[in-house]
Amino acid sequence: MIRRPPRSTLSSSSAASDVYKRQVRGFGLKALMVEQEEHMAILAQLREEHPASRGLVVPDDAIKWTPEELRLFFRSGGLLKPLLSPWSSGVKTVPVQPKPKPTAATEHAAPAAPVPVRRQMSPQEYAMAVQRQGHTPRPEPALIISAESEWLRQLQGANHLIPFEGLAAVDATNARRANEHWSVSSQALLARGVDVRLFYDSLSFKVLGAISFGEPACLTAEESMGKLASTVESTALSGVLQGVAGEACKLKAAPAHKLRTFTLRMTGGDIVVSMVYKVEAQVTSVLGPMVEVNAVVLDAQDQPVCELVTTYEALE
């Protein structure tokens, strides 16, 4: 006589197994419902903070985004969406390369070290990285641009303008602080008499900012033979504008690039000490790997003072 196992065992057809499966499924659905409720609460809060986004359509995959990514999406009017990047919740699949067939020479050779899969950072990933960085607090006595500056207040009060400092785009998994010796937003540059505040326009993809120079960046009376005292050196002005133009290139076209050509033209008067100027940089053309960027400095009456035309080559 064949004896069958009792129905209470954990076989695939037993009642106890069915109860266990229903419990696990129930726990998963409960966690998913909690996640969706939190997501909807964040969306409702962001729509209240941004009344102009009432008609903004949120993608279905936005449930995978972090609150910071959702906030940037609303601030940019839906233009900036996170990619499948180190700052996103998605998972990027890497295609598996077929293994080469072993030969007599390689059969007994030591295995080669695995080569990490790397790719260049995209402009959108760079924009997400610098948005998280913001402006580093600086000691008030060392600042050249006063907090009472009208132009600086306009920049800080615009919702579509995102304050940022330049980063070094190493690859898609690493964006770190730029070298203190040449970054346009560093403390070292501030100590040399240059104060720069940069903002990323999420609507027009331009770089706007306020710039001012102190005495250390100016010609002395001896150097100018008494004629150009308190006038900013052209090398200081050119270096700062190259940095601003480089950030425009990173945010619009190529986070990894190298400078090819630049031309500085003085179109108005001289840049004088302690005056707050407006700076605007934007990509004007992209032809293959070559990117052209135009940076303009304006005075308080919006009259152009100087212009820098640069050409960069995107790195593969």
Side-chain angles (χ1 to χ4, degrees), residues 3-83:
R3 300 177 64 90
R4 298 182 181 276
R7 296 282 297 186
S8 59
T9 58
L10 292 179
S11 66
S12 60
S13 61
S14 67
S17 178
D18 293 340
V19 171
Y20 172 77
K21 290 178 181 178
R22 284 197 298 270
Q23 289 177 345
V24 173
R25 191 181 299 114
F27 292 149
L29 290 175
K30 184 176 180 181
L32 181 60
M33 290 176 63
V34 171
E35 183 179 357
Q36 290 177 344
E37 290 177 359
E38 294 177 351
H39 177 71
M40 296 304 295
I42 295 174
L43 290 181
Q45 179 183 355
L46 290 174
R47 290 194 184 278
E48 291 181 1
E49 295 176 358
H50 303 273
S53 65
R54 296 294 182 184
L56 186 63
V57 179
V58 181
D60 295 336
D61 60 349
I63 194 172
K64 299 179 181 179
W65 300 354
T66 64
E68 290 79 11
E69 292 169 342
L70 284 171
R71 188 169 292 105
L72 179 60
F73 176 76
F74 274 84
R75 286 186 61 183
S76 63
L79 294 177
L80 290 180
K81 301 177 183 178
L83 300 178

Side-chain angles (χ1 to χ4, degrees), residues 193-247:
V194 182
D195 192 355
V196 183
R197 317 287 179 87
L198 297 181
F199 294 80
Y200 171 48
D201 191 336
S202 59
L203 300 181
S204 63
F205 301 102
K206 296 180 181 179
V207 171
L208 304 178
I211 181 173
S212 186
F213 296 87
E215 290 292 345
C218 298
L219 295 169
T220 62
E222 293 79 8
E223 292 172 327
S224 61
M225 300 180 65
K227 298 180 180 180
L228 296 175
S230 299
T231 300
V232 176
E233 289 193 28
S234 59
T235 52
L237 178 62
S238 175
V240 171
L241 288 183
Q242 286 182 44
V244 177
E247 292 304 317

Side-chain angles (χ1 to χ4, degrees), residues 115-312:
V115 179
V117 178
R118 299 179 63 182
R119 65 176 177 85
Q120 297 292 353
M121 181 178 291
S122 70
Q124 194 173 32
E125 288 172 328
Y126 183 77
M128 295 290 293
V130 299
Q131 189 270 341
R132 285 173 171 79
Q133 191 71 36
H135 276 168
T136 303
R138 303 178 184 183
E140 188 67 30
L143 297 180
I144 303 173
I145 302 177
S146 171
E148 304 299 324
S149 169
E150 182 63 26
W151 175 236
L152 183 60
R153 283 186 171 185
Q154 293 181 25
L155 293 173
Q156 293 173 340
N159 291 330
H160 64 285
L161 297 182
I162 303 170
F164 78 97
E165 294 180 2
L167 300 178
V170 180
D171 56 26
T173 63
N174 191 4
R176 63 192 181 198
R177 281 193 171 277
N179 191 312
E180 280 286 314
H181 296 289
W182 53 260
S183 172
V184 294
S185 304
S186 68
Q187 296 283 357
L189 196 65
L190 184 62
R192 291 195 291 269
V194 182
D195 192 355
V196 183
R197 317 287 179 87
L198 297 181
F199 294 80
Y200 171 48
D201 191 336
S202 59
L203 300 181
S204 63
F205 301 102
K206 296 180 181 179
V207 171
L208 304 178
I211 181 173
S212 186
F213 296 87
E215 290 292 345
C218 298
L219 295 169
T220 62
E222 293 79 8
E223 292 172 327
S224 61
M225 300 180 65
K227 298 180 180 180
L228 296 175
S230 299
T231 300
V232 176
E233 289 193 28
S234 59
T235 52
L237 178 62
S238 175
V240 171
L241 288 183
Q242 286 182 44
V244 177
E247 292 304 317
C249 180
K250 294 178 186 178
L251 289 163
K252 178 68 175 179
H257 61 259
K258 55 183 176 182
L259 178 66
R260 283 303 187 185
T261 64
F262 70 92
T263 303
L264 178 66
R265 292 194 290 263
M266 301 302 296
T267 57
D270 295 320
I271 303 290
V272 297
V273 66
S274 300
M275 181 176 292
V276 178
Y277 293 90
K278 304 175 183 179
V279 62
E280 177 181 315
Q282 63 178 328
V283 174
T284 54
S285 69
V286 180
L287 296 175
M290 308 308 293
V291 183
E292 185 177 285
V293 183
N294 188 22
V296 182
V297 176
L298 308 171
D299 59 17
Q301 288 74 37
D302 291 334
Q303 296 299 317
V305 179
C306 65
E307 178 185 26
L308 181 76
V309 179
T310 55
T311 303
Y312 298 94

